[in-house]
Amino acid sequence: LSRMAKDSLEPNTITYRAPIHACANSGEWEQALALFSMMAKDSVEADLWSYDAVLNAVYLERVGPTIFNECLQACGHSEFMSPCKEILDFHGFTRGFAVLAVRWWLQDVVPGLQEPRLEVITGW
């Protein structure tokens, strides 16, 4: 990323997402979070897939639910939750995203449902 600036190239969500995924896969959650934070400093707006990458790094950490809630505020839930709120489809999402989404569903969505029923589709 630092070389991009030297070469007058502007970073985007893809150029950030790749190293965030690499950090997540190697257990470097703090570095992944630092890279995610740098996106805003570089005026790169995080999309759902950027959140997915960082959430895979931080889902076991205390900050995980906070970032998941930021993701919901920024991106909503229509990409993974059906309108009836009974189907969560995690095709293409990481394990970390799915874990945090299920926790959110149990805590925040279930209390508003008359007869909660859940179908989870993972594709893993």
Side-chain angles (χ1 to χ4, degrees):
L1 289 171
S2 61
R3 186 166 180 206
M4 288 183 71
K6 291 176 189 174
D7 293 341
S8 299
L9 298 172
E10 291 190 29
N12 58 35
T13 57
I14 296 170
T15 57
Y16 271 101
R17 203 164 45 234
I20 291 171
H21 269 299
C23 290
N25 290 337
S26 63
E28 299 290 333
W29 72 269
E30 291 166 321
Q31 183 64 33
L33 187 57
L35 286 166
F36 185 75
S37 297
M38 282 177 53
M39 289 176 70
K41 292 176 187 166
D42 283 343
S43 300
V44 176
E45 187 174 340
D47 62 4
L48 179 61
W49 305 110
S50 302
Y51 277 105
D52 178 57
V54 74
L55 289 168
N56 199 41
V58 301
Y59 76 100
L60 295 175
E61 305 303 327
R62 196 178 292 184
V63 71
T66 301
I67 295 174
F68 184 79
N69 285 328
E70 289 174 17
C71 174
L72 288 176
Q73 292 298 312
C75 305
H77 52 66
S78 64
E79 290 290 323
F80 67 90
M81 186 169 73
S82 68
C84 67
K85 300 180 181 178
E86 294 180 346
I87 300 171
L88 300 178
D89 186 346
F90 299 121
H91 276 102
F93 288 92
T94 62
R95 178 180 308 180
F97 184 96
V99 166
L100 289 166
V102 170
R103 285 184 191 160
W104 163 79
W105 186 86
L106 290 168
Q107 291 173 348
D108 294 359
V109 177
V110 167
L113 298 176
Q114 296 231 355
E115 294 181 29
R117 179 175 103 64
L118 177 62
E119 180 178 340
V120 178
I121 302 167
T122 63
W124 298 321

